[in-house]
Amino acid sequence: MLGIQIIAFIFCFCGLAAAIAATASNEWKVTSRASSVITATWVFQGLWMNCAGNALGAFHCRPHLTIFKVEGYIQACRGLMISAVCLGFFGSVFGLIGMKCTKVGGSDQTKAKIACLAGLIFILSGLCSMTGCSLYANRITSEFFDPSYIAQKYELGAALFIGWAGASLCIIGGSIFCFSIAENSKSPRRGYAYNGAASVVSSRTKVHSSAPDKTPPKHFDKNAYV
């Protein structure tokens, strides 16, 4: 069971790292405008900045100037990804406490409940990350396949795939953590026989056997036989 918990924690930790990388990345949507390889220009956008680069290796990024001018779906994705990272952090703390290899958290039953709580938190973290990436991807695909949309069209960036992979790892690892409480309940319990009454009886027997016989000796005279 300890090995399963370690695997679950590795999955969740990798998923949290992927969520952090996806949140900080600027490649949520990308596009290329090129008539040749030499004059190629790439434009990619993220949750925090818009960037552009060319084939010569020059890149320039500009952050979103104000939150009030940012589109609603970008703000929603920001909130979901930040929630996923925060939940993943707290899930990691509870996961370390609930693992059997640590010496904090109390008894095995208490640690199993903490591990189950960590699993639920990781599942919520994965769902937040999955929802944020899917919402952003849905906006990109709807604009790309809309014939009436005349502005610049973008494609799915690498950050979306990283976010989806991290969300899947968090959900899988959190599910394993939740199943750990079921494994703990199925483990056999040690039974201890109560020998209190027998010990009391035996101690009393020893006391009576070790006590000297204080009954006075009987003296018989010759008249007793008559």
Side-chain angles (χ1 to χ4, degrees):
M1 182 176 175
L2 178 59
I4 296 177
Q5 287 185 341
I6 293 175
I7 294 174
F9 185 80
I10 292 174
F11 279 10
C12 295
F13 185 79
C14 293
L16 175 60
I20 295 174
T23 305
S25 177
N26 295 321
E27 296 187 12
W28 281 65
K29 59 181 180 180
V30 296
T31 185
S32 62
R33 293 173 292 181
S35 58
S36 65
V37 178
I38 299 176
T39 61
T41 302
W42 291 275
V43 178
F44 44 95
Q45 297 183 8
L47 298 178
W48 314 101
M49 289 189 292
N50 301 331
C51 300
N54 54 28
L56 301 178
F59 289 92
H60 177 72
C61 294
R62 179 179 60 85
H64 298 297
L65 298 179
T66 175
I67 190 174
F68 297 106
K69 291 185 179 181
V70 178
E71 298 185 44
Y73 76 97
I74 296 180
Q75 296 183 12
C77 292
R78 283 180 177 181
L80 288 170
M81 295 305 294
I82 292 174
S83 300
V85 173
C86 294
L87 287 172
F89 173 76
F90 288 110
S92 300
V93 174
F94 285 113
L96 286 174
I97 296 175
M99 293 178 67
K100 285 191 172 182
C101 58
T102 57
K103 296 183 179 180
V104 292
S107 62
D108 289 343
Q109 293 182 354
T110 304
K111 291 173 76 69
K113 294 179 181 179
I114 296 174
C116 182
L117 176 62
L120 293 176
I121 294 175
F122 274 122
I123 292 175
L124 289 177
S125 175
L127 291 176
C128 287
S129 180
M130 185 78 71
T131 305
C133 294
S134 300
L135 178 63
Y136 203 96
N138 179 67
R139 182 60 177 264
I140 295 173
T141 53
S142 61
E143 291 178 353
F144 188 86
F145 292 105
D146 187 5
S148 61
Y149 186 76
I150 59 176
Q152 178 64 51
K153 296 184 178 182
Y154 294 88
E155 297 179 1
L156 303 180
L160 293 174
F161 298 99
I162 294 174
W164 281 325
S168 301
L169 289 176
C170 285
I171 293 173
I172 294 173
S175 301
I176 297 175
F177 267 125
C178 289
F179 288 138
S180 65
I181 190 172
E183 293 289 337
N184 185 75
S185 62
K186 291 180 181 179
S187 58
R189 297 181 180 179
R190 295 181 179 179
Y192 296 94
Y194 180 71
N195 297 325
S199 61
V200 172
V201 173
S202 61
S203 61
R204 289 180 179 178
T205 305
K206 290 181 180 179
V207 170
H208 286 291
S209 62
S210 59
D213 189 7
K214 296 183 179 180
T215 56
K218 295 180 179 180
H219 300 282
F220 300 96
D221 53 0
K222 62 182 179 178
N223 297 324
Y225 298 97
V226 176

